[in-house]
Amino acid sequence: SEVLNKTFASLRAAHQREQSLMADKHEAELAQTQAEMLAYRSQITPHFLFNTLESMRSLAHHYGAEPIEGLISGMSQMFRYSLAAPQLVPLQSELGHLDSYLSVMEIRFPKCYQIKRDIAAETLFCHLPSMSLQPLVENIMKYAFHGRISGMLLIQSFLTEGGFVVRV
Protein backbone atom coordinates (compact mmCIF):
# COMPACT_ATOMS: atom_id res chain seq x y z
CA SER A 1 0.00 0.00 0.00
CA GLU A 2 2.92 2.28 0.72
CA VAL A 3 4.27 1.79 -2.81
CA LEU A 4 0.81 2.48 -4.28
CA ASN A 5 0.47 5.68 -2.19
CA LYS A 6 3.89 6.91 -3.41
CA THR A 7 2.98 6.05 -7.00
CA PHE A 8 -0.34 7.93 -6.74
CA ALA A 9 1.42 10.91 -5.09
CA SER A 10 3.98 10.94 -7.91
CA LEU A 11 1.20 10.77 -10.50
CA ARG A 12 -0.69 13.62 -8.78
CA ALA A 13 2.48 15.76 -8.67
CA ALA A 14 3.24 15.01 -12.32
CA HIS A 15 -0.36 15.84 -13.25
CA GLN A 16 -0.17 19.14 -11.32
CA ARG A 17 3.11 20.04 -13.05
CA GLU A 18 1.57 19.22 -16.41
CA GLN A 19 -1.47 21.40 -15.65
CA SER A 20 0.79 24.23 -14.46
CA LEU A 21 2.91 23.97 -17.62
CA MET A 22 -0.22 23.96 -19.79
CA ALA A 23 -1.54 27.05 -17.96
CA ASP A 24 1.83 28.80 -18.41
CA LYS A 25 1.83 27.86 -22.10
CA HIS A 26 -1.70 29.20 -22.49
CA GLU A 27 -0.77 32.47 -20.76
CA ALA A 28 2.31 32.83 -22.98
CA GLU A 29 0.24 32.20 -26.12
CA LEU A 30 -2.35 34.73 -24.94
CA ALA A 31 0.38 37.32 -24.25
CA GLN A 32 1.89 36.69 -27.69
CA THR A 33 -1.50 37.11 -29.35
CA GLN A 34 -2.07 40.37 -27.46
CA ALA A 35 1.38 41.64 -28.47
CA GLU A 36 0.68 40.75 -32.11
CA MET A 37 -2.65 42.62 -31.94
CA LEU A 38 -0.95 45.70 -30.46
CA ALA A 39 1.70 45.57 -33.18
CA TYR A 40 -1.00 45.24 -35.81
CA ARG A 41 -2.91 48.20 -34.37
CA SER A 42 0.21 50.34 -34.34
CA GLN A 43 0.70 49.54 -38.03
CA ILE A 44 -2.88 50.41 -38.94
CA THR A 45 -2.71 53.98 -37.67
CA PRO A 46 0.41 54.99 -39.65
CA HIS A 47 -0.85 53.05 -42.67
CA PHE A 48 -4.16 54.92 -42.59
CA LEU A 49 -2.36 58.23 -42.06
CA PHE A 50 -0.01 57.68 -45.01
CA ASN A 51 -2.84 56.55 -47.29
CA THR A 52 -4.84 59.65 -46.33
CA LEU A 53 -1.87 61.96 -46.87
CA GLU A 54 -1.20 60.35 -50.25
CA SER A 55 -4.87 60.85 -51.23
CA MET A 56 -4.64 64.51 -50.21
CA ARG A 57 -1.36 64.95 -52.12
CA SER A 58 -2.91 63.36 -55.22
CA LEU A 59 -5.90 65.67 -55.02
CA ALA A 60 -3.64 68.70 -54.62
CA HIS A 61 -1.64 67.55 -57.65
CA HIS A 62 -4.80 66.97 -59.68
CA TYR A 63 -6.09 70.47 -58.92
CA GLY A 64 -2.72 72.12 -59.46
CA ALA A 65 -2.31 73.21 -55.84
CA GLU A 66 1.47 72.83 -55.83
CA PRO A 67 2.12 74.49 -52.44
CA ILE A 68 -0.38 72.16 -50.77
CA GLU A 69 1.08 69.17 -52.60
CA GLY A 70 4.56 70.13 -51.38
CA LEU A 71 3.35 70.66 -47.83
CA ILE A 72 1.65 67.27 -47.69
CA SER A 73 4.61 65.54 -49.30
CA GLY A 74 7.00 67.09 -46.77
CA MET A 75 4.78 66.13 -43.85
CA SER A 76 4.46 62.57 -45.11
CA GLN A 77 8.22 62.22 -45.47
CA MET A 78 8.73 63.62 -41.96
CA PHE A 79 6.25 61.14 -40.44
CA ARG A 80 7.77 58.19 -42.28
CA TYR A 81 11.25 59.14 -41.10
CA SER A 82 10.16 59.62 -37.49
CA LEU A 83 8.53 56.18 -37.45
CA ALA A 84 11.17 54.23 -39.36
CA ALA A 85 14.53 55.79 -38.52
CA PRO A 86 16.81 53.78 -36.23
CA GLN A 87 18.39 55.47 -33.20
CA LEU A 88 21.58 56.35 -35.08
CA VAL A 89 21.51 57.52 -38.70
CA PRO A 90 24.06 58.91 -41.16
CA LEU A 91 24.19 62.70 -41.34
CA GLN A 92 23.00 62.40 -44.94
CA SER A 93 19.69 60.85 -43.75
CA GLU A 94 19.26 63.44 -41.02
CA LEU A 95 19.81 66.23 -43.57
CA GLY A 96 17.15 64.64 -45.81
CA HIS A 97 14.71 64.69 -42.91
CA LEU A 98 15.67 68.30 -42.24
CA ASP A 99 14.93 69.14 -45.90
CA SER A 100 11.40 67.74 -45.46
CA TYR A 101 10.92 69.86 -42.35
CA LEU A 102 12.27 72.98 -44.07
CA SER A 103 9.97 72.43 -47.07
CA VAL A 104 7.02 72.56 -44.67
CA MET A 105 8.40 75.63 -42.90
CA GLU A 106 9.04 77.42 -46.20
CA ILE A 107 5.34 77.17 -46.99
CA ARG A 108 4.42 78.32 -43.51
CA PHE A 109 6.95 81.18 -43.44
CA PRO A 110 7.83 81.96 -47.08
CA LYS A 111 11.13 83.74 -47.67
CA CYS A 112 11.61 84.45 -43.94
CA TYR A 113 14.98 82.75 -43.72
CA GLN A 114 17.86 81.51 -45.80
CA ILE A 115 19.61 78.21 -45.31
CA LYS A 116 23.33 77.97 -45.84
CA ARG A 117 25.11 74.63 -45.62
CA ASP A 118 28.75 73.97 -45.15
CA ILE A 119 28.77 70.18 -44.99
CA ALA A 120 32.08 68.35 -45.33
CA ALA A 121 31.63 65.41 -47.71
CA GLU A 122 33.53 63.07 -45.37
CA THR A 123 30.89 63.65 -42.66
CA LEU A 124 27.85 62.57 -44.68
CA PHE A 125 28.16 58.97 -43.50
CA CYS A 126 29.05 59.78 -39.87
CA HIS A 127 26.28 58.70 -37.50
CA LEU A 128 24.31 60.86 -35.08
CA PRO A 129 21.05 60.38 -33.17
CA SER A 130 18.02 60.42 -35.45
CA MET A 131 15.65 63.35 -35.10
CA SER A 132 18.39 65.52 -33.58
CA LEU A 133 18.80 68.30 -36.16
CA GLN A 134 15.14 69.17 -36.72
CA PRO A 135 14.43 70.23 -33.10
CA LEU A 136 17.58 72.39 -33.10
CA VAL A 137 16.54 74.12 -36.30
CA GLU A 138 12.97 74.46 -35.06
CA ASN A 139 14.13 76.17 -31.86
CA ILE A 140 16.35 78.54 -33.81
CA MET A 141 13.48 79.44 -36.11
CA LYS A 142 11.13 79.91 -33.17
CA TYR A 143 13.41 81.89 -30.87
CA ALA A 144 16.29 83.37 -32.88
CA PHE A 145 14.07 84.51 -35.78
CA HIS A 146 11.19 85.67 -33.55
CA GLY A 147 10.26 89.25 -34.38
CA ARG A 148 12.61 89.42 -37.36
CA ILE A 149 11.65 89.80 -40.98
CA SER A 150 14.35 87.39 -42.16
CA GLY A 151 17.26 85.34 -40.90
CA MET A 152 20.16 83.15 -41.96
CA LEU A 153 20.48 79.59 -40.74
CA LEU A 154 23.93 78.01 -41.07
CA ILE A 155 24.40 74.25 -40.83
CA GLN A 156 27.98 73.00 -40.71
CA SER A 157 29.64 69.65 -40.30
CA PHE A 158 33.32 68.81 -40.10
CA LEU A 159 35.79 66.37 -38.61
CA THR A 160 38.19 67.29 -35.83
CA GLU A 161 40.81 65.35 -33.94
CA GLY A 162 38.13 64.74 -31.31
CA GLY A 163 35.53 63.44 -33.75
CA PHE A 164 32.55 64.53 -35.78
CA VAL A 165 30.98 67.99 -35.27
CA VAL A 166 27.64 69.32 -36.46
CA ARG A 167 26.95 72.99 -35.79
CA VAL A 168 23.63 74.77 -36.33
Side-chain angles (χ1 to χ4, degrees):
S1 96
E2 205 174 293
V3 171
L4 280 176
N5 284 338
K6 285 183 181 180
T7 303
F8 285 133
S10 294
L11 286 173
R12 272 193 298 272
H15 180 68
Q16 287 174 344
R17 281 193 304 270
E18 183 180 358
Q19 284 184 327
S20 177
L21 289 172
M22 288 176 60
D24 290 348
K25 181 182 176 190
H26 177 71
E27 286 179 25
E29 288 173 347
L30 183 60
Q32 181 179 357
T33 301
Q34 289 173 336
E36 288 171 356
M37 288 301 294
L38 285 174
Y40 180 67
R41 282 184 180 173
S42 69
Q43 290 174 357
I44 289 174
T45 302
H47 183 73
F48 175 75
L49 174 67
F50 293 128
N51 281 348
T52 303
L53 286 171
E54 179 55 27
S55 295
M56 293 166 59
R57 190 203 60 75
S58 293
L59 280 171
H61 178 77
H62 176 75
Y63 288 104
E66 290 176 18
I68 295 172
E69 181 181 4
L71 178 67
I72 293 169
S73 181
M75 286 179 52
S76 181
Q77 290 170 2
M78 286 176 60
F79 288 141
R80 284 184 199 281
Y81 184 82
S82 68
L83 290 173
Q87 286 186 332
L88 293 176
V89 295
L91 176 61
Q92 186 174 25
S93 296
E94 192 68 2
L95 290 171
H97 172 66
L98 187 59
D99 287 340
S100 297
Y101 171 75
L102 291 171
S103 73
V104 170
M105 295 310 288
E106 178 61 29
I107 292 170
R108 189 170 174 205
F109 302 108
K111 297 182 172 77
C112 287
Y113 55 88
Q114 294 177 336
I115 306 295
K116 183 178 178 188
R117 292 184 181 194
D118 182 15
I119 307 295
E122 62 270 15
T123 65
L124 287 173
F125 297 100
C126 293
H127 284 77
L128 72 161
S130 65
M131 304 290 296
S132 58
L133 288 182
Q134 182 262 325
L136 292 173
V137 169
E138 185 174 353
N139 279 338
I140 288 170
M141 294 174 80
K142 184 175 182 179
Y143 297 110
F145 292 175
H146 183 70
R148 295 183 182 189
I149 296 172
S150 65
M152 168 71 72
L153 181 66
L154 174 62
I155 303 169
Q156 296 176 307
S157 70
F158 50 91
L159 296 177
T160 66
E161 287 182 24
F164 164 55
V165 176
V166 177
R167 183 181 296 154
V168 182

